[in-house]
Amino acid sequence: MKQFCYALILGSLLVTACFADTGCFILTQNEEILTQEGDCDTRRSCCSTFKIAISLMGYNEGILKDELQPQVPYQEGYYALLDSWKQPHDPSLWMKNSCVWYSQWITKQIGMPKFEDYVKKFDYGNGDVSGDEGKGNGLTNSWLSSSLKISPKEQTIFIKKLIDGKLPVSSTAHEMTKRILFVSNIDCSWRLFGKTGSGYLLKPDGSRDENRQIGWFVGWVQRGNNHVVFAHSIQDDRKHGALAGKRAKDSAIEKLTNFVDTCLKK
């Protein structure tokens, strides 16, 4: 059965091969790797998957209250790449819309010393929150195609700690973060939790290559106390119109659905 499941995942990976020159899909359960395809060890910008860590910080500090509070109004001057960001946001909508300015509103209230300490205690990727070289913007930009990087394998380790309540934050911070990460039901019994991320590769001079995106979808599927953790990353070899994070999510959901149907249903 395991060999068949591995072949199934490998086959689904081939679907995305034309969209990325490198990528990774990794599944783990109880810290055991069920399948690992592609380059899962190289660190890449975490992009908006870092909202998971920011959520844990925000709830632990009492900045975030529950799924709907605080609601923060949009202001002119906030970073608003998408029209959907130009409205008031609460924690649930922040995670759903992947709104950058709400993340930056949280981290500014945390402050750099605490922010840096959280990242260190989370053992999060390379831990580098310096931001863009020479700009001093680590508190607001380090995770946005910048200095802070993490590998897909490290993503699964971090997610497992979240599920188990083993990160250095309160039980409330763990629970509320898990709640706002809910995405949908895969079938009648399995629930999907996760976060996308989209960004750009960096050129040798450190500038962003706007023709080549990075895409993420990380999280877990759950039935009762049974959890399967995943991380899916893609790295474009050419320009695409759609955000890489959405493409990574769509691809990962297809793989996860196949895996649940074939390997996990009892």
Side-chain angles (χ1 to χ4, degrees), residues 56-235:
L56 290 162
M57 299 178 201
Y59 281 114
N60 195 58
E61 291 292 318
I63 298 167
L64 305 181
K65 308 300 182 183
D66 54 32
E67 292 105 320
L68 301 178
Q69 297 294 331
Q71 185 181 82
V72 181
Y74 169 75
Q75 297 181 20
E76 290 297 326
Y78 282 170
Y79 179 66
L81 176 67
L82 305 176
D83 287 340
S84 62
W85 297 355
K86 297 178 181 179
Q87 62 175 313
H89 274 71
D90 56 43
S92 290
L93 191 60
W94 162 56
M95 201 64 74
K96 178 182 178 182
N97 285 348
S98 201
C99 178
V100 169
W101 68 255
Y102 197 94
S103 301
Q104 295 172 330
W105 177 82
I106 296 170
T107 59
K108 286 178 181 177
Q109 292 191 71
I110 294 171
M112 191 60 177
K114 281 187 176 180
F115 177 70
E116 188 171 18
D117 190 53
Y118 272 120
V119 173
K120 180 180 179 180
K121 288 180 177 178
F122 287 169
D123 194 24
Y124 193 92
N126 66 355
D128 185 351
V129 294
S130 60
D132 300 328
E133 187 173 357
K135 294 186 178 181
N137 60 2
L139 184 61
T140 58
N141 287 67
S142 57
W143 63 93
L144 301 174
S145 300
S146 187
S147 60
L148 187 59
K149 299 178 181 181
I150 191 169
S151 71
K153 190 176 291 184
E154 288 171 326
Q155 290 268 29
T156 64
I157 294 170
F158 179 69
I159 293 294
K160 183 65 164 58
K161 290 179 182 178
L162 166 63
I163 293 169
D164 292 343
K166 292 184 177 179
L167 290 162
V169 294
S170 67
S171 58
T172 297
H174 283 95
E175 181 57 32
M176 294 307 304
T177 296
K178 287 187 281 188
R179 286 188 190 182
I180 64 174
L181 287 172
F182 175 71
V183 176
S184 64
N185 292 323
I186 288 185
D187 61 15
C188 294
S189 58
W190 287 90
R191 305 176 75 212
L192 172 65
F193 299 78
K195 184 69 195 77
T196 57
S198 298
Y200 295 100
L201 293 169
L202 299 181
K203 297 178 181 179
D205 63 2
S207 63
R208 294 180 176 92
D209 183 349
E210 296 190 3
N211 290 319
R212 300 176 64 208
Q213 294 186 61
I214 303 168
W216 287 100
F217 189 51
V218 305
W220 70 97
V221 290
Q222 175 179 342
R223 183 178 64 183
N225 293 323
N226 191 9
H227 303 83
V228 178
V229 179
F230 67 88
H232 186 32
S233 69
I234 61 175
Q235 183 171 301

Side-chain angles (χ1 to χ4, degrees), residues 2 23 27 35 39 45 60 85 108 117 157 198 242 255-256:
K2 274 193 174 183
L27 284 175
T35 189
D39 179 5
S45 172
N60 195 58
W85 297 355
K108 286 178 181 177
D117 190 53
I157 294 170
S198 298
K255 302 179 203 310
L256 289 164

